[in-house]
Amino acid sequence: MLEEIVDEQLVSDVPLCTLLSGGLDSSAITGIAAERGRAHGEDVRSFAVDFLGHTENFRADRHNTSADAPFVADAAAHMRTDHRDVVLDPSALSDPAVRRAAVRARDMPVGMGDMDMSLYLLFSAVRERSTVALSGEGADELFGGYWWFHDDAITAAPAFPWLHATMGQARQERPYGPPDLVAALDIPGFAEQTFHDAVAAAPVHPDDTEVDRRWRQQPHLHMTYNMTSLLDRKDRMSMAVGLEVRVPFCDHRLAQLAYDIPRALHTADGREKSVLRAAVGRYLPASITARTKSPYPRSQDRGYVLKVQDQVREALDTGDPRLGELIHRGLAGSVATRPADEIDPGSRMAIERLLDFQIWLDQHDPVLDLV
């Protein structure tokens, strides 16, 4: 089915490529596309994003389990693609003009920090050589690729699993909002009710055990809530530079098939995404099939963090006074003055939201009525 869907999405009258991260999903798409291209005497183009010095100085954490570059190189060589790495340095990534372009593309100040800027710069580079790109987005949601799918304590918790797993209750409480605004909005109550409604809408199989029910609930939650924001982000960032990104894994036929596969098959080899790995194995080098899931990368460059801290301190000192109505200035200031090596990804993303808000306020000049 995946081969058929990729075949359909390879149809194009303009230059086409794939986005290759060195993970199972993007490598599967690239492998199928490359085989089809060679059958017609053509080499498929592939692109990957990387950061200057990232592989040499990589530090594994809960988000990034391994650097992409070595796996990208293995995949591109194995599949014989016309490959290009888009390597970003801290100056390009922290350029206020790039952040401004990313915020304008998203049309709302709820970005994902440097992952927005790197995606925008990646797509800008891809657009110089291709007009359409195929991406592996959606496979983790359908086939249980994220680690929290396999943590029974997280799947049993009354919260969206990706929020609970990555940042815990702090993510729900929004600690960087002004206390009076946080109290008035009652975001924890809103999150609880939204989760309850989302679970109630998930289809169930009458023969499922409680564990199977919770497992099947996960892809539905991810597809109806998490994936919508990820696809919106990808679509806005790509179309802002005139690039069309297609997502074969999000085809409704594949989604329906994956949803009906029981948990035992999804983890048949004792790992995540067992069904997908078995299906596409012939296209991949051994290093890719053995690799543990590693999400879209964040820069770990200390220089980038220092530049963000400088920009946040400047915004707090001289920026739009309305920022204080939306952001807890004291907490943001404490992160902006903390040693760069001590800032966790959640705190870093939170202070980057302050920069996004400042740009958004400048671009749209809204009237804030928070009474």
Side-chain angles (χ1 to χ4, degrees), residues 1 8 19 73 75 129 134 193-194 219 266 279 282 291 295 334:
M1 184 178 289
E8 293 172 356
L19 304 176
R129 297 190 64 201
L134 267 61
Q193 184 60 50
T194 303
H266 275 296
R282 74 179 186 86
R291 189 186 184 191
S334 70

mmCIF file of all heavy atoms in Angstrom, residues 1 8 19 73 75 129 134 193-194 219 266 279 282 291 295 334:
data_model
loop_
_atom_site.group_PDB
_atom_site.id
_atom_site.type_symbol
_atom_site.label_atom_id
_atom_site.label_comp_id
_atom_site.label_asym_id
_atom_site.label_seq_id
_atom_site.Cartn_x
_atom_site.Cartn_y
_atom_site.Cartn_z
ATOM 1 N N MET A 1 0.824 -1.199 0.000
ATOM 2 C CA MET A 1 0.000 0.000 0.000
ATOM 3 C C MET A 1 0.869 1.265 0.000
ATOM 4 O O MET A 1 0.588 2.234 -0.716
ATOM 5 C CB MET A 1 -0.948 0.005 1.209
ATOM 6 C CG MET A 1 -1.902 1.193 1.217
ATOM 7 S SD MET A 1 -3.038 1.157 2.620
ATOM 8 C CE MET A 1 -4.104 -0.203 2.149
ATOM 9 N N GLU A 8 1.841 7.197 -6.523
ATOM 10 C CA GLU A 8 0.865 8.236 -6.866
ATOM 11 C C GLU A 8 1.415 9.629 -6.578
ATOM 12 O O GLU A 8 1.201 10.570 -7.363
ATOM 13 C CB GLU A 8 -0.419 8.010 -6.073
ATOM 14 C CG GLU A 8 -1.171 6.745 -6.457
ATOM 15 C CD GLU A 8 -2.328 6.446 -5.520
ATOM 16 O OE1 GLU A 8 -2.509 7.184 -4.530
ATOM 17 O OE2 GLU A 8 -3.060 5.465 -5.776
ATOM 18 N N LEU A 19 12.696 14.532 1.565
ATOM 19 C CA LEU A 19 13.330 15.035 2.775
ATOM 20 C C LEU A 19 13.830 13.824 3.552
ATOM 21 O O LEU A 19 13.042 12.961 3.931
ATOM 22 C CB LEU A 19 12.332 15.843 3.604
ATOM 23 C CG LEU A 19 11.661 17.013 2.866
ATOM 24 C CD1 LEU A 19 10.624 17.682 3.763
ATOM 25 C CD2 LEU A 19 12.684 18.029 2.382
ATOM 26 N N ALA A 73 23.934 9.899 5.684
ATOM 27 C CA ALA A 73 24.980 9.512 4.732
ATOM 28 C C ALA A 73 24.836 8.047 4.321
ATOM 29 O O ALA A 73 24.967 7.706 3.135
ATOM 30 C CB ALA A 73 26.357 9.764 5.345
ATOM 31 N N ALA A 75 22.065 6.220 4.338
ATOM 32 C CA ALA A 75 20.861 6.057 3.519
ATOM 33 C C ALA A 75 21.072 6.590 2.102
ATOM 34 O O ALA A 75 20.708 5.930 1.122
ATOM 35 C CB ALA A 75 19.682 6.764 4.188
ATOM 36 N N ARG A 129 16.201 24.034 -5.780
ATOM 37 C CA ARG A 129 16.423 22.941 -6.731
ATOM 38 C C ARG A 129 15.172 22.114 -7.012
ATOM 39 O O ARG A 129 15.133 21.366 -7.985
ATOM 40 C CB ARG A 129 17.521 22.004 -6.204
ATOM 41 C CG ARG A 129 18.881 22.659 -6.051
ATOM 42 C CD ARG A 129 19.947 21.616 -5.775
ATOM 43 N NE ARG A 129 20.110 20.701 -6.895
ATOM 44 C CZ ARG A 129 20.653 19.482 -6.784
ATOM 45 N NH1 ARG A 129 21.039 19.035 -5.598
ATOM 46 N NH2 ARG A 129 20.777 18.713 -7.843
ATOM 47 N N LEU A 134 8.743 15.020 -0.939
ATOM 48 C CA LEU A 134 8.026 13.987 -0.178
ATOM 49 C C LEU A 134 8.648 13.869 1.212
ATOM 50 O O LEU A 134 9.873 13.866 1.353
ATOM 51 C CB LEU A 134 8.107 12.636 -0.895
ATOM 52 C CG LEU A 134 6.955 12.295 -1.860
ATOM 53 C CD1 LEU A 134 6.878 13.324 -2.976
ATOM 54 C CD2 LEU A 134 7.150 10.893 -2.447
ATOM 55 N N GLN A 193 -10.480 18.958 30.122
ATOM 56 C CA GLN A 193 -11.740 18.774 29.406
ATOM 57 C C GLN A 193 -11.492 18.418 27.943
ATOM 58 O O GLN A 193 -12.182 17.557 27.368
ATOM 59 C CB GLN A 193 -12.585 20.040 29.494
ATOM 60 C CG GLN A 193 -13.964 19.908 28.854
ATOM 61 C CD GLN A 193 -14.804 18.822 29.503
ATOM 62 O OE1 GLN A 193 -14.935 18.788 30.726
ATOM 63 N NE2 GLN A 193 -15.360 17.915 28.702
ATOM 64 N N THR A 194 -10.504 19.076 27.325
ATOM 65 C CA THR A 194 -10.187 18.787 25.927
ATOM 66 C C THR A 194 -9.727 17.342 25.763
ATOM 67 O O THR A 194 -10.128 16.647 24.818
ATOM 68 C CB THR A 194 -9.099 19.741 25.418
ATOM 69 O OG1 THR A 194 -9.532 21.100 25.593
ATOM 70 C CG2 THR A 194 -8.814 19.508 23.941
ATOM 71 N N PRO A 219 -2.941 6.524 18.492
ATOM 72 C CA PRO A 219 -2.890 7.100 17.143
ATOM 73 C C PRO A 219 -4.051 8.044 16.850
ATOM 74 O O PRO A 219 -3.877 9.027 16.129
ATOM 75 C CB PRO A 219 -2.908 5.877 16.218
ATOM 76 C CG PRO A 219 -3.395 4.755 17.050
ATOM 77 C CD PRO A 219 -2.965 5.045 18.447
ATOM 78 N N HIS A 266 2.239 -4.442 16.134
ATOM 79 C CA HIS A 266 3.008 -3.196 16.083
ATOM 80 C C HIS A 266 4.336 -3.321 16.831
ATOM 81 O O HIS A 266 5.273 -2.563 16.578
ATOM 82 C CB HIS A 266 2.200 -2.044 16.684
ATOM 83 C CG HIS A 266 1.259 -1.391 15.717
ATOM 84 N ND1 HIS A 266 1.689 -0.709 14.599
ATOM 85 C CD2 HIS A 266 -0.097 -1.290 15.710
ATOM 86 C CE1 HIS A 266 0.653 -0.223 13.945
ATOM 87 N NE2 HIS A 266 -0.452 -0.561 14.594
ATOM 88 N N ALA A 279 8.079 -4.207 6.649
ATOM 89 C CA ALA A 279 7.555 -3.969 5.301
ATOM 90 C C ALA A 279 8.572 -3.300 4.388
ATOM 91 O O ALA A 279 8.656 -3.605 3.202
ATOM 92 C CB ALA A 279 6.289 -3.117 5.387
ATOM 93 N N ARG A 282 13.682 -4.032 2.899
ATOM 94 C CA ARG A 282 14.500 -4.306 1.711
ATOM 95 C C ARG A 282 15.040 -3.032 1.064
ATOM 96 O O ARG A 282 15.985 -3.092 0.267
ATOM 97 C CB ARG A 282 13.702 -5.110 0.686
ATOM 98 C CG ARG A 282 12.631 -4.332 -0.078
ATOM 99 C CD ARG A 282 11.940 -5.248 -1.079
ATOM 100 N NE ARG A 282 11.004 -4.547 -1.951
ATOM 101 C CZ ARG A 282 11.350 -3.948 -3.086
ATOM 102 N NH1 ARG A 282 12.623 -3.940 -3.466
ATOM 103 N NH2 ARG A 282 10.452 -3.356 -3.842
ATOM 104 N N ARG A 291 18.266 1.699 13.851
ATOM 105 C CA ARG A 291 18.299 2.982 14.559
ATOM 106 C C ARG A 291 17.056 3.183 15.424
ATOM 107 O O ARG A 291 15.935 2.884 15.017
ATOM 108 C CB ARG A 291 18.402 4.145 13.567
ATOM 109 C CG ARG A 291 18.650 5.482 14.237
ATOM 110 C CD ARG A 291 18.600 6.647 13.260
ATOM 111 N NE ARG A 291 18.947 7.886 13.944
ATOM 112 C CZ ARG A 291 18.795 9.092 13.421
ATOM 113 N NH1 ARG A 291 18.305 9.229 12.189
ATOM 114 N NH2 ARG A 291 19.121 10.170 14.123
ATOM 115 N N PRO A 295 13.621 12.301 16.928
ATOM 116 C CA PRO A 295 12.735 13.262 16.267
ATOM 117 C C PRO A 295 13.502 14.326 15.472
ATOM 118 O O PRO A 295 14.733 14.338 15.431
ATOM 119 C CB PRO A 295 11.983 13.905 17.439
ATOM 120 C CG PRO A 295 12.200 13.000 18.602
ATOM 121 C CD PRO A 295 13.529 12.361 18.385
ATOM 122 N N SER A 334 14.699 35.354 34.215
ATOM 123 C CA SER A 334 15.575 34.441 34.949
ATOM 124 C C SER A 334 16.199 33.410 34.017
ATOM 125 O O SER A 334 17.364 33.023 34.189
ATOM 126 C CB SER A 334 14.796 33.736 36.068
ATOM 127 O OG SER A 334 13.854 32.806 35.535
#
